[in-house]
Amino acid sequence: MDAPSPGKRAADAPKDPAGSGVRPWRGWGPVELVLFLANFSLALQRPLTTQYLWHRLGAEVGYNGTSRAGGCNDTADPKQQEVETMTSHWNLYIDLSSLFVGLFSATLLGPWSDRVGRRPLLVLSSFGLILQVIVYILVVILELHVGFLLLGRLLCAFLGDYNALLGTGFASVADISTPRTRTLRMAILEACLGISGMLASIAGGHWIKAQGYTNPFWLALAMLIAAMLYSAFVFRESVPNPHEASLFTLQHYRLIFQLFAAPSPGKSRKHLALYLLALFLVLTIHYGTWDIVVVYELSWPLCWGSDLIGYGSAAQHLSYLVGLVQLWACQLCLKDSWVAEISLAFNIVGMVVFSLSRTTALMFTGYGILSLSLVVTPVIRAKLSKLVNKTEQGALFSSIACVSGISMLSASGIFNSLYPATLNFMKGFPFLLGAFVLLIPAILIGVLEIFDPRPEYQQTLH
């Protein structure tokens, strides 16, 4: 991102209402680094938490066959199935504990950031994530009951959670980009997420194997502290004229209602609703498969250790970086919607391969196919962003954060319940179900593209 000239910065700076001549600090750093640091921490924590639950719950029932070195059985072990079921259920409880609080905070904080600026929300959400990691560290060090992990999620959700942080990052990109460049800019931001996740996954897998769970959690905490300090003192505010506004007011909820109810030039409630539905379905499959894939890899017949799990998680995050190159190349000859359709096709095939995977080679083949599958999310976010005004970006991305939260709940409820229920007849059935569900957003995006009457999404006819 090109640095604005001093003259432009002075013009964009908010005027001091008191006439003191003192302007608020606007900063100079891009938002991408905030998301890089925060996502590094989250990517380190996700498989770390699942593996901790697996080993902790396995110890409670007297099962330790968690890798080939540890004696993973070649047949279905009742104790292994019990640990798989308990781990899936605890993942569900942890996700449920934060959903409703997260929905309340996201809808409150997003429109608030349209007025006060993006910086306060970035700092607040980063602090919430810090509190969550502190609770997790205490659970690991003091061997507290795993139920305390729910407390960490609740504290984090009350202050916005990662969804609010992510939504604010995308809103900031929307603030400073043009409709023409917005899709690529959002893909660049997602590529930053992918690079950070890939690095965290590789490092975390080997680190857990060498030193256990405590030290990786400390690194996750350090990254979040760095993200909060960067947000507070370095990040360049993208809202041109931020001003003070009350946080606890119904006006913020009215702004979200008006986003879908109030007519305006170029805005289509039908398009907003259908694109959000498509995003909901894509994210539900995305979160759901991520919830169960580590348990799927830990158990028979794959019997992966923490190092292979780290490589697998890195391959998942590589999709963001590959998606950026894929989007840049495909935009030379295709419209965004058709690039998203290609992405969904790879996603469907990758899910089918996962459902049939019984060897490490086939599992990584699935990861390779899925590396071309994540272009769809930046395309949908960019299309939604183009449907609303500059002053509504925070409200829009808080709505997207709510959709993300609801999809996370749906994913946890469906996949963490379906996975243990289908172990006896087809272990990979949830992945196969995900492949079929992804046909729906593929149809929606294609129909919206074909029948969209607005010039922004149509080729010039003359």
Side-chain angles (χ1 to χ4, degrees), residues 140-156:
V140 173
I141 293 177
L142 302 178
E143 296 187 356
L144 302 176
H145 190 276
V146 293
F148 281 97
L149 298 175
L150 278 64
L151 175 61
R153 291 294 296 126
L154 282 171
L155 291 172
C156 180

Side-chain angles (χ1 to χ4, degrees), residues 7 89 96 107 118 181 203 219 226 229 261 287 301 349 357 392 404 436:
H89 286 169
L96 282 174
T107 51
R118 310 301 179 200
T181 63
L219 177 60
L229 294 175
Y287 289 136
V349 175
S357 293
E392 297 176 314
S404 181
F436 282 108

Side-chain angles (χ1 to χ4, degrees), residues 197-221:
M198 184 173 56
L199 295 174
S201 300
I202 294 173
H206 287 283
W207 206 354
I208 295 168
K209 191 173 184 179
Q211 296 185 353
Y213 298 99
T214 307
N215 288 337
F217 271 124
W218 282 115
L219 177 60
L221 177 61

Side-chain angles (χ1 to χ4, degrees), residues 326-327 330-331 334-343 375:
Q326 179 188 3
L327 179 64
C330 290
Q331 275 188 326
L334 292 172
K335 294 162 71 175
D336 287 352
S337 292
W338 305 126
V339 180
E341 295 284 55
I342 294 171
S343 171
V375 172

Side-chain angles (χ1 to χ4, degrees), residues 170 173 181-194 320-321 323-325 327-328 331 374-375 377-379 382:
F170 281 109
V173 168
T181 63
R182 193 160 299 162
T183 304
L184 190 59
R185 283 300 308 271
M186 291 190 175
I188 290 172
L189 181 55
E190 292 214 359
C192 290
L193 303 180
Y320 292 101
L321 185 58
L324 173 61
V325 178
L327 179 64
W328 174 80
Q331 275 188 326
L374 286 187
V375 172
T377 49
V379 168

Side-chain angles (χ1 to χ4, degrees), residues 87-142:
T87 304
S88 293
H89 286 169
W90 271 108
N91 277 330
L92 172 61
Y93 303 151
I94 290 170
D95 289 336
L96 282 174
S97 67
S98 63
L99 173 74
F100 296 107
V101 177
L103 292 179
F104 165 78
S105 62
T107 51
L108 187 69
L109 294 169
W112 180 64
S113 73
D114 281 330
R115 302 186 176 206
V116 302
R118 310 301 179 200
R119 177 180 288 112
L121 185 48
L122 289 174
V123 173
L124 196 64
S125 300
S126 299
F127 181 66
L129 290 167
I130 288 171
L131 293 180
Q132 173 183 298
V133 179
I134 289 174
V135 172
Y136 282 22
I137 289 173
L138 291 175
V139 170
V140 173
I141 293 177
L142 302 178

